[in-house]
Amino acid sequence: MQKDILLEIKNMTKTFGPVTALKNVDLYLYKGDVLGLIGENGSGKSTITSIAAGMQKATSLDSMKYKGEDWAPSSMLDALNNCGKGENGIGMIVQESGTIAGISVAENIFLGDLDRFKTFKLKNGKSFGPISKKQMYKAASKALAEIGIDNISPDAPMFTLDFQARKLVEIAKVMMKNPDVLVIDETSTALAQDGRKILYNIINRFRGTEKAVIFISHDLDEIMDVCDTLTVLRDGNIIRTFDKSEYDPDEIRKAMIGRELQGDYYRSDFEPSKLDDIAISFKNISLNEVNGVTFDLHKGEILGLGGLSQCGMHTIGKIAFGSMKPHNGSVTLGNGKKITSEAMAMKNGIGYVSKDRDIESLVLSASVKDNISVAGMNVFSINNFLILANREKKYVDEQVENLSIKCSDRDQVVSTLSGGNKQKVVFGKWVGRGSEILILDCPTRGVDIGVKQAMYQLMMKLKSEGKAILLISEEMPELMGMSDRMLIMKDGKITKEFSRSKELSDAEIIGYMI
C-alpha cells in the first residue's frame, strides 16, 4: 500500500558560486519512514536537508511541499514552527555545533522562545517582565528527561559540557518542538554507545507513525541497520535509492564513489606489532573522571583507546598533548622528558587531532594555508621567527597534494570545505611537521568512506615509519580494524586490554565498557 508523502522536493538546484552542490534533485519522504542519505563529502546530503529545514535557500526548484502545502521556511526556527503555524514542523540536528557556549543548557534549549518564561502574562497571550529561571530550568529538565537524559543540569553553562553532552542538549532542543520530520545530520558520530542508544530510541518512536526521519551518516553498517530505505548521492545527483531488501554494502559503496574501492579498508593483517622503544608513558594519571590510569605507547604501534563518552578517554588525549594537567601522575616521553604544556608537546614531536574539529583543531575563518602552516614554523622559518614565504607555500602545497585536499587553492577559507577535507587539513597540520607521536581523537568523525580509507592507509604508513599513534575512538569497527592493542575504559579506569586478533568480537569488547 502506498504511504502518504510528508515532504516532496522536485527539481532542486543549489550553487555556491561556480560550484554546483545539487543538480535538479527530486526527493520524496513518506510518513512512517526512516530514510537514509549517504554519499561522499560534498555529495549534497546536508545541502538538500538544510534547505528543507530552513537553514538556506535553494538556487532554483520547481516545488517543495510539506504535508501537501508549499514549503518555504525563512529559518530553522520557522521550519520547526511549521512556517508560523506553531505546530509540528521540520527539525534538524546539524553535524557540527548547534548550541551557544556562553549561555546555560536551559537557555540553549529555549533559545528564541524565552518569552514563555516571563513572569507576567497578558490576556492577548503576550508576556513581559523578568524571566523565571525556576520555571525555565524545570521545563528544560523535562525536555531532557523526555529523551532519556537525567545527568545534565539545566543551569550548567554550555561550555562546561563535553561534545556528546552538547549534542544531546541540541537533540532535546529540537525534540522539545515535537517535529513531524526529524533530520539527523551526522549526529551519531558525535555520540558514544550510550548517546547513540538515546538517538536510536527517538528514531524508533518516529518509525511507523505519521512522522518521518531523514538520517545522514557515513557509517554504512549503521545506516543499513537504522534505515528503511537508503538514497545515495554523488556530485549533487541522486544515483540510486535502495530498499531494505536490496541492501548490499559493495553495491552501495560503488554507487557512492562511482567505482570499487582499491586496496584495503581496515588493516588486512591480524598480527599485533610494535617496536621495543616506548614513545610515551602514562603513569597513574588522575584528572576529573580519569582515575589512576597507567599504560605505555610504543613506537611503531597503533594503540586503541575505547569506551563510552564519559569514560575518560577524551581527557587522556588532552592530557597527552599537554592541554590539560593531571592532578596526579605524569606523562613522560621515552627520553625521560615530562609533558607539561602544549608547547612542550609540539616541541617534542606530539600532534593532536581533536574530536571537536571545528572548535579545537581549526580556525574556520582562516585559510587552508594558515591552518596547515600554523604548526609548521619549525620547518619553513628561520629560528621560528622569520617566515620564508616561498618555503611556506611549498610546505602547504605538499600537504594539500599528499593528502588530496579538495580546495580551489591554498587560500580558500576552511569553513567552506567539506567535513572530510577539513579533517585532512587537520592531519596535514601535524603530519607535515613530522610529528613522531599522534594523538587521534575520533579522527574519522563525519568523513566518508573514501576519506576514511585514505586516513587508515596514512595511519599504516606512519606506523611503518615507526611513528606512535594513540587512536581514541567511539567506533568499534575502527578500533578493531586498526589497533595493535586496545585498552577499554569504564568509569575512568582501564578495565581490559585486548590484542589484535581475527577472533575478537565487538560484543566481547562492549561488555567491558558498560
Side-chain angles (χ1 to χ4, degrees):
M1 186 177 72
Q2 182 68 46
K3 296 180 180 179
D4 293 335
I5 295 175
L6 195 51
L7 176 67
E8 176 185 82
I9 295 170
K10 288 186 177 180
N11 208 28
M12 177 182 284
T13 295
K14 178 66 177 179
T15 59
F16 297 94
V19 177
T20 300
L22 293 174
K23 303 173 186 176
N24 305 316
V25 166
D26 295 343
L27 185 75
Y28 301 91
L29 179 65
Y30 297 91
K31 291 181 178 180
D33 271 5
V34 179
L35 169 64
L37 296 184
I38 197 167
E40 292 189 280
N41 290 109
S43 62
K45 309 179 301 296
S46 297
T47 304
I48 191 171
T49 50
S50 64
I51 293 170
M55 186 184 296
Q56 57 184 326
K57 300 291 185 182
T59 303
S60 65
L61 76 164
D62 285 350
S63 66
M64 181 163 59
K65 294 182 181 292
Y66 177 60
K67 298 183 178 180
E69 298 182 5
D70 288 339
W71 181 249
S74 60
S75 66
M76 293 182 72
L77 186 59
D78 192 34
L80 266 172
N81 289 324
N82 198 349
C83 289
K85 296 179 182 178
E87 59 184 36
N88 309 92
I90 297 178
M92 183 174 182
I93 305 163
V94 298
Q95 180 177 347
E96 297 301 334
S97 177
T99 54
I100 298 174
I103 58 178
S104 71
V105 167
E107 287 167 322
N108 267 280
I109 290 175
F110 296 105
L111 193 64
D113 195 23
L114 293 174
D115 283 355
R116 67 158 74 183
F117 302 110
K118 287 185 176 179
T119 308
F120 303 107
K121 313 294 181 184
L122 300 177
K123 290 182 179 180
N124 61 6
K126 293 186 177 182
S127 304
F128 70 98
I131 290 172
S132 169
K133 289 191 174 182
K134 181 178 180 180
Q135 290 184 28
M136 181 174 65
Y137 292 156
K138 183 178 179 180
S141 293
K142 182 180 178 182
L144 291 165
E146 284 180 351
I147 66 167
I149 301 171
D150 59 6
N151 60 350
I152 297 177
S153 176
D155 62 345
M158 208 67 197
F159 67 83
T160 64
L161 304 185
D162 64 21
F163 194 61
Q164 167 164 289
R166 297 200 302 271
K167 187 56 63 175
L168 290 173
V169 169
E170 186 183 346
I171 293 171
K173 174 183 176 180
V174 173
M175 289 302 297
M176 184 265 302
K177 289 289 188 177
N178 194 25
D180 276 352
V181 171
L182 179 64
V183 179
I184 302 170
D185 188 359
E186 288 292 343
T187 301
S188 60
T189 60
L191 306 175
Q193 296 291 332
D194 49 345
R196 291 186 185 202
K197 184 178 180 181
I198 290 171
L199 188 65
Y200 297 155
N201 285 341
I202 291 171
I203 292 171
N204 287 330
R205 277 158 48 185
F206 274 63
R207 178 180 278 111
T209 66
E210 295 292 296
K211 300 174 181 282
V213 175
I214 300 177
F215 187 78
I216 301 173
S217 175
H218 287 305
D219 187 329
L220 187 51
D221 291 331
E222 176 187 48
I223 206 166
M224 288 193 300
D225 183 53
V226 169
C227 299
D228 305 313
T229 55
L230 179 58
T231 294
V232 178
L233 288 96
R234 186 172 75 240
D235 298 329
N237 297 288
I238 289 181
I239 303 301
R240 179 179 171 184
T241 294
F242 294 82
D243 290 326
K244 191 115 182 169
S245 60
E246 300 174 313
Y247 286 178
D248 179 283
D250 291 334
E251 287 298 313
I252 295 171
R253 289 191 188 101
K254 189 173 180 180
M256 286 171 60
I257 63 178
R259 55 181 171 80
E260 293 183 1
L261 286 171
Q262 300 297 315
D264 295 322
Y265 190 62
Y266 298 121
R267 290 170 61 173
S268 59
D269 69 295
F270 288 95
E271 292 298 323
S273 62
K274 62 180 186 289
L275 301 177
D276 291 335
D277 293 341
I278 292 174
I280 190 168
S281 292
F282 299 79
K283 301 294 184 185
N284 200 32
I285 295 293
S286 294
L287 176 67
N288 301 335
E289 71 274 29
V290 178
N291 185 12
V293 169
T294 296
F295 66 90
D296 295 329
L297 170 63
H298 288 252
K299 295 181 179 180
E301 179 182 34
I302 300 174
L303 176 60
L305 195 59
L308 302 183
S309 183
Q310 304 291 335
C311 71
M313 59 183 180
H314 303 299
T315 300
I316 291 290
K318 293 179 185 295
I319 292 172
F321 190 57
S323 57
M324 296 180 76
K325 295 182 179 180
H327 293 318
N328 295 302
S330 62
V331 180
T332 309
L333 296 170
N335 60 13
K337 294 181 179 179
K338 290 185 177 181
I339 299 301
T340 56
S341 68
E342 293 179 353
M344 188 174 186
M346 290 177 63
K347 185 178 180 180
N348 286 277
I350 300 178
Y352 172 60
V353 175
S354 169
K355 176 183 177 181
D356 198 347
R357 177 178 60 222
D358 284 8
I359 302 297
E360 297 179 347
S361 289
L362 294 169
V363 179
L364 294 179
S365 60
S367 66
V368 170
K369 176 178 74 69
D370 290 343
N371 272 279
I372 291 177
S373 66
V374 69
M377 293 277 286
N378 61 312
V379 179
F380 55 76
S381 70
I382 297 176
N383 296 327
N384 284 325
F385 175 72
L386 180 61
I387 295 175
L388 302 177
N390 287 335
R391 275 198 204 174
E392 181 187 18
K393 291 175 183 177
K394 182 181 178 182
Y395 172 86
V396 172
D397 288 344
E398 284 177 354
Q399 307 318 311
V400 170
E401 182 180 352
N402 292 341
L403 293 170
S404 300
I405 300 172
K406 293 181 180 178
C407 57
S408 57
D409 55 51
R410 71 176 83 90
D411 294 317
Q412 183 174 349
V413 176
V414 163
S415 63
T416 63
L417 299 180
S418 68
N421 285 297
K422 285 180 183 177
Q423 195 71 331
K424 286 182 179 182
V425 170
V426 179
F427 267 74
K429 178 168 67 173
W430 298 115
V431 173
R433 76 187 309 271
S435 300
E436 292 294 326
I437 301 170
L438 284 164
I439 313 300
L440 307 181
D441 193 346
C442 299
T444 63
R445 184 183 70 82
V447 304
D448 62 58
I449 60 171
V451 176
K452 277 190 177 184
Q453 184 189 42
M455 289 181 174
Y456 295 149
Q457 291 175 346
L458 175 61
M459 288 168 61
M460 287 303 296
K461 178 178 179 291
L462 295 171
K463 170 183 163 64
S464 71
E465 295 171 354
K467 315 282 189 182
I469 297 173
L470 180 62
L471 174 60
I472 303 167
S473 180
E474 295 163 357
E475 304 284 342
M476 192 59 63
E478 182 170 83
L479 284 173
M480 295 174 63
M482 295 305 299
S483 303
D484 293 295
R485 288 186 296 145
M486 280 179 285
L487 302 177
I488 304 305
M489 292 187 66
K490 177 185 175 183
D491 298 331
K493 297 181 179 180
I494 294 172
T495 56
K496 185 69 174 179
E497 177 177 328
F498 292 95
S499 290
R500 184 171 188 78
S501 170
K502 193 173 185 178
E503 285 73 39
L504 197 58
S505 71
D506 55 0
E508 182 180 1
I509 297 170
I510 290 173
Y512 289 92
M513 294 181 179
I514 59 179

